[in-house]
Structures are given as structure tokens and as C-alpha cells.
């Protein structure tokens, strides 16, 4: 074919089958804007491509960590827009953070899909509320309260309830939880009990504060963040005309991180949709770590029940982490229980082999921090950028030890999702009180009975909220106690090193530490809690404090709470691309009793802990596509039976997939399709296989798509090994979904019967 304009021909674009898959994550460079709709699909793997081309009807994407979920859904939107199937102004993509929404908008622009709205739930609802409020209610939209905590404090005072700073934060969080779960004040106490929540005060008191808080807002013409969603839901429910207007504007919806939706957000989504089903959701139940805020994975897990015709695509190809990291991540979930565990995904790394995870046990927490700092220093000296290293811990109170250890090792660091230790309000107040006590010395009544320096510190901080035993439950009160306890332990260590030291010297030491950590923020090693690390990734990750009492945390008592702690550790492991370090300490302080043990979650995974316990939930789900029950095609009984079997929900527990030749457990998705190891002898009918390949080439040319979109090589091999004789047998082969059964089933069975459909075409 002549080349237009005399330009040299472009080299063929690399395909997924020939190494052209671009990274699903960790890419700081944006590619050139694709020059066509088809170009948008280039570089996607088969499952990502299935997501991108499933533009109609309900779609559920179950996406494991590092499998390119954002890539898949942004390419889906861009492909639909560039192909003229979706009008950009009718698409609304919602997620949970401004960062995620901004990333989605940026990717869509780079793909040539401008005009698509990508917002958080609250931002999208607020725009609608501002626009429709004058029409629905009249006047201007009430002002959003600037400091919710202050109004809650006034409500508590009106009730005669005295709350300290920690309790105030926790009561505010309880009110937020009640509102996103659509719980009114009168129902708070039974709802909290049913949900297994540990209220910071008597539930009846929390309910009273909640009730008065709502009254104060109404009297002052204020609304809060949760009201934005509640009021939008109310208007859409009460005003059918406004609901119709919104639905006329937005006709296609995409929801990211769907495992984190609350009942209120789900209700808003249902009102946006109406009776339509043009929705695509993406999530991973194994990354549900925010249930304390009202998030629930139930809507993700029940999506197929609510939408029987849904297409379900499972993304399990992990482009982020090495096989060694992925193996550990999969192992963590092997012993999980509960609904999320029953739907876990078995990740398959697509990266070259890397170093094995490193395990370290230390006598105490300062030694653990120093060991991590030394290892980080070695990595930086070996050329790993400090910005590509993270230290992840369970609670923010753990940060101070690592801040100091990194500072001592000359390693720059930055805190994410937490205040610097010495900038926390309770720490600043405590240091102020210690300074005052040091100034008054023997004249301070608090110090009268204290026998040594640690005793003096404990005496002073007991007035600030420190006690020998931690408070029950989680939240701000626990975080405050952890901060004060860290000061007590620091004093104990200081006194052990300098037995003659007095309180004034300890205060001077605290001032020096605080000054050293007030340096300008630098691009250094990230210190972050596991919760704040969600959605991020680094080349090297240090998971510290992986011991009983911290992971799972002591106040995780129910089975559901313990399983969420396991998922939190899973999120931490899957943040690592290449290097993963896990460590724990046998005691908190130097010379303390070594009564700690490694986290139960590591049993069977770390060296010397025995073999892994048997998987309770069976092997994780393999990647692939499952189509809904609304199939089309002939009315022959065998075809109907095949569709029914393929569409029937599998209620029985999955069993471990084993090689049909040698019996080895299979984890690779391709081997699971064949039901045998790649190296085991094959009983494949070579003639059938070659005829299927020839036929596939014809179908690919006819449809203008790559051959693997018809059937992958592994599926053709599985067919040639089975040589099915009827639709039911064909439907049982992995990779043969209902759509392909309807479209290609007759041809495939004819080829298996000896006919050559490629020549007939």
C-alpha cells in the first residue's frame, strides 16, 4: 500500500502479546495523546482491554493491588469518548479523594478525553446542591461549617457533658459515622451496638450531643460535610423533576474504590442512576480498611446480585510488585476469613524476579528503629532515592522513634498523614508542663512523691491524660495516650543513659529534638501510617512494629476487626515494588521484658514459623471476564444448558486448583486455564489446535481486533486438550464466557468435530 504524502511508514505499534504492555503504575511520564480510538486500547492486557471495551450495561471490575485499575477505567472512558459512543459531558466519574480525582482527570486529558467530570462524591454533590438549592428550597445554600469540632463542643456543653480534646474528636467521628450510615440521633445507641462500635462516651450521651449539634446547625443556618450528601439525596428523592434533570445530564457513571462506599453514598449513586444500568464500578474487597468511617464492601460484593446482567472483569496481573512481594501478599490472605476473603484475588506478578522479603527481630523498639535507619542508609548509599523509600507503621504515635533514628542516621524524611511528633498539641502541652515543673523544681506539688526522673515525668503527664494502662477503644483518646506514653518511655531511656539527670536536662533534650525536626520539609524517606499509605507505592517499604498488640492492634477484638487489621497489613505489603522489610520488637523499651511475639498474620510466612495454615477461603479468584445472565442465541436445549451452567452463581467453596498431571497446586492464571503445569505433558490434539488458530486469524481480521480478543492461546490449547463435544463441555473451559459461547461456540464445536471453518469463511 503506498504511503501517504511520501512519509516513511510508521513502525508497527507493540502489542500486549509482544511486550508492549506499558506499566500499570509508577510512571512519571505521560505518553503522547493517542491518535485514534483504537490507539487508546494499545498496550492494555486482555482483561484491561475487556474493561475498556465493555461500554454498555453494568460492569464490575474486581482489581487487585497494582493491577492498573485506574488505567483500565480511564482507558474505558477515553475509548468510549474517542469512538463516539460516550459523550464526555454525560460521563461522571467519582472517587474518594481529591488526589485520585485529579489523577483521573490528568490521565483522561492525556488520552484525549476532555470534558469528562471526575470528582469526589462530595464535590459532585456540592455542585448539584449549589445549582438546585434555589429551585428546590429557595434562597442561598447554607454556609458549610468551618470547624465542626467547635460546634460539637458547644453541643456537649449545652448538654452538660464535659469532653476533653480526644473525646471531642472521637464524638465528632461518631456523629460523622451516624450520618453516613443514615442513623438519626434517636437510633444511634442501638445502631452503634449492632455495628460493634466502642463509643468514646456512654452511647446515650453521644446521642444527646448529636441531637443538639443538629439543632445548633439548624438555628445558625449551617450545614456540614455529611449534610451535603444528605441534602442532595433529599432533593433528588423529593423532586422528581430535578432528578430527571440530573439524569438527563449524567448518563454514564464510573465509581472508583467502590469497596469504600458508605450507605449514604450508595443511596446517592442509586438516585443518580434511576432505573438505568450504565454504571462501571471498580474495587477490591481485600483493601477495605475504612469500615470505622462507615465504608462497607457489601455493595461491591453484592453487585452481581443487584445487577444480574453485569459483566465482571477480574484484574490480577500485578505490574507493581516483584513475584517475591506478590507471593507474600497472596500468602497473607490465604488464611483470611469472612466475605472479603471468599472473594479475594490471587495476584500474578508481571515483573522480573527481585530480592526476597527481609525479616528482622529486635530486642526493643529503639533498636528496631535504628536497624531500619541503618538499612535505609545503606539503600540510599547504594543509589535508591530517599523519596522511593517508606517506613509504614500502625499508629501515628510510632513515628517519633523513627523520626529520631532517621535524623541520627542523617537520613532526610517527611511525614505523611500525620503531624510531626513535637508539633502535636498534646505533646506541645506536655512539654510546656514539664518545663514549668522543671522551673519550680521541689516547689511543684506534683513532684513531691516522685522518686526519680521517670517518676517525675509520669506524675506531670498523669495530669495531661497519661495512665499506666491505655484507654479502651481506638481514636483520638488512644492516639493522645500513645503520644504521652512515648514521652514517658523517652524519659525512661534518657534516665537509663544518664542516671544523674534532672528534669531540666530532659526538657533541654526535648527542645533540641524538637528544634532538629523543625527543619524545612525535604524530599526524603516517607514516614506514614498504613491507613495514609493507601493508594501510594515505593521501591522499598519498611513495615515496622509487626507484632501482636500492634498488628492486629489491641482493641481489634471481633473477628471482623481482626480481619480488617489483616487487610491493612496486606495494603502495606502491596505498597512495595521491589524491596520489602518486615520487623518487630520483643519489648517496647531497652531492658524490658521480651514478652512480645511477631504478628499472628505472619505465621507460616516468616522463616521459622512453620508451614502456612490451610487456606480457609480456597484459592483466590483468577483473572478473566464473566458475563451476565442476559445471553442471546439459539434456543437449542444444549445451548440453554450451557448458558445456565456458565451463568449460575457458584455457591460451593472453591477448592485448590491442582495440575491434572502431577497434582501440584496451580497459581499461574495460564496454568489454571490448562489445569496443568506448563512443563507437564500435554494431551493436546495438534490438528484441532492448528485449525482453531487458523479460524481465529480469520475472525480477528473480520472484526478488526487482535487475535487474543477472540480467544487467547491458552484457551485454544485448553479447547484442543479437552475437544468438547457439546456446548456444556465447551462452556466449562476457562476463557469461554457466555458472549463467546454465543458468538463462536458453533464454529469451535464444528472444528473440534473435524470441520475446518477457516476455509469455509
Amino acid at each position: 500500500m503506498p504511503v501517504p504524502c511520501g512519509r516513511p511508514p510508521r513502525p508497527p505499534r507493540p502489542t500486549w502479546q509482544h511486550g508492549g504492555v506499558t506499566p500499570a503504575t509508577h510512571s512519571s511520564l505521560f505518553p503522547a495523546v493517542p491518535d485514534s480510538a483504537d490507539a487508546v486500547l494499545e498496550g492494555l492486557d486482555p482483561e484491561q482491554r475487556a474493561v475498556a471495551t465493555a461500554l454498555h450495561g453494568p460492569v464490575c471490575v474486581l482489581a487487585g493491588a497494582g493491577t492498573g485499575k485506574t488505567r483500565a477505567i480511564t482507558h474505558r472512558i477515553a475509548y468510549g469518548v474517542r469512538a463516539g459512543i460516550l459523550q464526555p459531558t454525560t460521563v461522571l466519574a467519582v472517587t474518594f479523594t481529591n488526589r485520585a480525582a485529579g489523577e483521573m482527570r490528568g490521565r483522561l486529558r492525556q488520552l484525549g478525553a476532555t470534558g469528562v467530570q471526575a470528582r469526589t462524591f462530595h464535590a459532585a454533590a456540592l455542585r448539584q446542591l449549589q445549582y438546585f438549592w434555589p429551585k428546590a428550597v429557595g434562597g442561598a445554600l447554607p454556609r458549610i461549617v468551618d470547624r465542626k469540632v467547635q460546634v460539637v463542643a458547644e453541643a456537649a456543653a449545652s448538654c452538660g457533658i464535659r469532653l476533653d480534646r480526644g473525646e471531642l474528636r472521637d464524638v465528632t467521628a461518631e456523629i460523622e459515622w451516624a450520618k453516613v450510615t443514615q442513623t438519626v440521633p434517636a437510633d444511634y445507641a442501638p445502631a452503634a451496638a449492632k455495628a460493634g462500635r466502642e463509643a468514646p462516651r456512654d452511647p446515650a450521651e453521644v446521642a444527646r450531643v448529636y441531637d443538639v449539634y443538629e439543632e445548633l446547625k439548624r438555628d445558625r443556618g449551617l450545614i456540614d460535610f455529611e449534610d451535603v450528601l444528605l441534602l442532595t439525596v433529599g432533593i433528588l428523592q423529593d423532586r422528581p423533576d430535578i432528578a430527571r434533570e440530573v439524569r438527563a445530564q449524567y448518563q454514564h457513571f464510573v465509581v472508583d474504590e467502590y469497596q469504600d462506599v458508605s450507605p449514604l453514598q450508595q443511596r446517592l449513586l442509586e438516585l443518580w442512576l434511576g432505573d438505568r444500568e450504565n454504571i462501571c464500578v471498580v474495587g477490591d474487597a481485600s483493601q477495605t480498611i475504612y469500615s470505622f468511617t462507615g465504608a462497607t464492601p457489601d455493595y461491591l460484593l453484592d453487585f452481581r446480585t443487584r445487577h444480574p446482567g453485569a459483566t465482571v472483569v477480574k484484574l490480577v496481573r500485578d505490574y507493581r510488585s516483584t513475584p517475591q512481594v506478590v507471593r507474600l501478599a497472596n500468602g497473607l490472605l490465604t488464611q483470611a476469613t469472612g466475605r472479603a476473603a471468599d472473594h479475594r484475588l490471587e495476584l500474578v506478578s508481571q515483573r522480573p524476579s527481585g530480592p526476597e522479603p527481609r525479616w528482622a527481630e529486635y530486642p526493643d523498639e529503639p533498636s528496631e528503629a535504628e536497624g531500619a535507619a541503618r538499612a535505609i542508609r545503606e539503600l540510599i548509599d547504594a543509589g535508591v532515592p530517599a523519596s522511593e523509600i517508606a517506613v509504614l507503621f500502625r499508629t501515628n504515635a510510632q513515628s517519633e522513634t523513627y523520626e529520631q533514628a532517621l535524623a541520627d542516621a542523617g537520613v532526610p524524611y517527611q511525614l505523611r498523614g500525620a503531624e510531626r511528633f513535637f508539633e502535636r498539641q498534646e505533646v506541645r502541652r506536655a512539654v510546656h508542663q514539664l518545663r514549668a515543673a522543671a522551673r519550680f523544681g521541689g516547689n511543684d506539688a506534683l513532684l513531691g512523691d516522685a522518686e526519680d526522673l521517670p517518676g517525675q515525668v509520669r506524675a506531670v503527664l498523669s495530669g495531661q491524660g497519661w495512665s499506666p494502662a491505655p484507654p479502651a477503644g481506638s481514636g483520638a483518646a488512644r492516639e493522645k495516650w500513645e503520644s504521652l506514653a512515648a514521652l514517658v518511655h523517652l524519659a525512661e531511656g534518657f534516665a537509663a543513659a544518664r542516671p544523674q539527670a534532672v528534669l531540666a536536662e530532659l526538657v533541654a533534650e526535648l527542645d533540641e529534638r524538637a528544634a532538629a525536626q523543625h527543619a524545612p520539609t525535604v524530599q526524603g524517606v516517607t514516614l506514614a501510617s498504613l491507613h495514609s499509605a493507601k493508594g501510594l507505592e515505593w521501591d522499598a517499604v519498611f513495615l515496622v512494629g509487626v507484632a501482636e498488640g500492634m498488628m492486629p492492634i489491641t482493641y481489634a477484638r471481633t473477628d471482623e476487626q481482626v480481619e480488617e487489621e489483616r487487610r491493612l497489613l496486606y495494603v502495606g505489603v502491596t505498597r512495595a515494588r521491589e524491596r520489602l522489610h518486615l520487623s518487630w520488637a520483643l519489648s517496647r523499651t531497652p531492658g524490658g521484658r521480651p514478652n512480645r511475639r511477631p504478628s499472628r498474620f505472619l505465621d507460616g510466612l516468616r522463616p521459622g514459623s512453620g508451614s502456612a495454615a490451610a487456606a480457609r477461603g480456597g484459592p483466590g479468584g483468577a483473572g478473566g471476564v464473566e458475563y451476565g445472565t442476559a445471553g442471546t442465541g439459539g434456543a437449542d436445549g444444549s445451548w440453554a444448558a450451557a448458558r445456565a451452567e456458565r451463568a449460575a452463581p457458584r455457591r460451593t467453596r472453591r477448592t485448590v486448583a491442582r495440575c491434572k498431571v502431577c497434582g501440584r497446586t496451580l497459581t499461574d492464571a495460564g496454568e489454571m486455564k490448562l489445569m496443568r503445569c506448563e512443563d507437564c505433558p500435554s494431551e493436546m490434539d495438534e490438528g484441532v489446535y492448528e485449525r482453531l488458530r487458523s479460524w481465529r486469524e480469520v475472525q480477528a481480521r473480520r472484526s478488526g481486533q487482535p487475535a487474543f480478543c477472540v480467544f487467547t492461546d491458552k484457551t485454544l490449547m485448553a479447547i484442543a486438550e479437552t475437544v468438547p463435544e457439546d456446548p456444556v463441555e465447551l462452556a466449562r473451559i476457562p476463557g469461554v464466557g457466555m458472549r463467546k459461547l454465543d458468538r463462536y461456540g458453533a464454529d469451535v464445536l464444528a472444528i473440534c468435530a473435524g470441520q475446518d471453518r477457516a476455509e469455509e469463511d
Side-chain angles (χ1 to χ4, degrees), residues 168-312:
L168 186 57
R169 281 177 51 192
D170 291 345
V171 169
T172 302
E174 286 300 294
I175 292 174
E176 292 172 349
W177 172 82
K179 297 183 76 167
V180 301
T181 55
Q182 303 178 81
T183 303
V184 298
D187 295 337
Y188 167 77
K194 182 178 180 180
R197 297 182 72 82
E198 291 194 30
R201 295 290 290 260
D202 182 274
E205 290 183 325
V206 175
R208 285 166 53 204
V209 175
Y210 178 15
D211 193 27
V212 175
Y213 167 76
E214 292 297 309
E215 290 180 3
L216 288 176
K217 287 198 292 96
R218 284 193 295 270
D219 293 344
R220 299 173 184 180
L222 299 173
I223 60 175
D224 61 24
F225 212 44
E226 291 70 42
D227 289 330
V228 171
L229 299 183
L230 284 164
L231 291 170
T232 305
V233 165
I235 288 175
L236 294 178
Q237 286 180 158
D238 296 342
R239 292 291 300 268
D241 57 327
I242 293 178
R244 283 194 297 270
E245 192 171 342
V246 171
R247 291 167 191 160
Q249 171 67 51
Y250 295 116
Q251 299 172 23
H252 301 272
F253 297 86
V254 177
V255 187
D256 192 15
E257 303 286 4
Y258 193 54
Q259 78 277 355
D260 289 334
V261 295
S262 68
L264 181 56
Q265 290 164 332
Q266 175 64 22
R267 181 59 186 144
L268 177 59
L269 184 60
E270 291 168 353
L271 289 167
W272 282 340
L273 272 171
D275 58 0
R276 302 166 299 175
E277 289 197 315
N278 285 329
I279 180 173
C280 173
V281 301
V282 57
D284 179 11
S286 295
Q287 297 188 69
T288 303
I289 58 174
Y290 298 109
S291 65
F292 59 91
T293 67
T296 172
D298 288 347
Y299 301 113
L300 175 68
L301 299 178
D302 293 338
F303 190 83
R304 195 70 174 270
T305 301
R306 298 194 312 277
H307 303 278
T311 297
V312 178

Side-chain angles (χ1 to χ4, degrees), residues 536-561:
L536 304 175
E537 57 186 84
W538 296 270
D539 282 345
V541 168
F542 288 73
L543 289 175
V544 299
V546 192
E548 285 292 308
M550 194 61 72
M551 182 60 65
I553 200 77
T554 51
Y555 49 77
R557 297 186 178 91
T558 67
D559 291 343
E560 293 80 5
Q561 291 168 339

Side-chain angles (χ1 to χ4, degrees), residues 308-323:
T311 297
V312 178
V313 185
K314 297 178 181 178
L315 304 183
V316 298
R317 304 175 197 265
D318 188 328
Y319 298 95
R320 174 188 298 159
S321 304
T322 62

Side-chain angles (χ1 to χ4, degrees), residues 180 291 294 344 458 464 489 503 544 551 570 609:
V180 301
S291 65
R344 71 184 182 88
R458 286 192 288 267
Q464 302 296 314
H489 290 295
L503 188 56
V544 299
M551 182 60 65
Y570 172 80
S609 62

Side-chain angles (χ1 to χ4, degrees), residues 22 70 138 199 206 248 270 311 402 423 493 725 752:
T22 51
T70 305
V206 175
E270 291 168 353
T311 297
Y402 290 89
E423 293 176 2
E725 297 181 353
C752 289

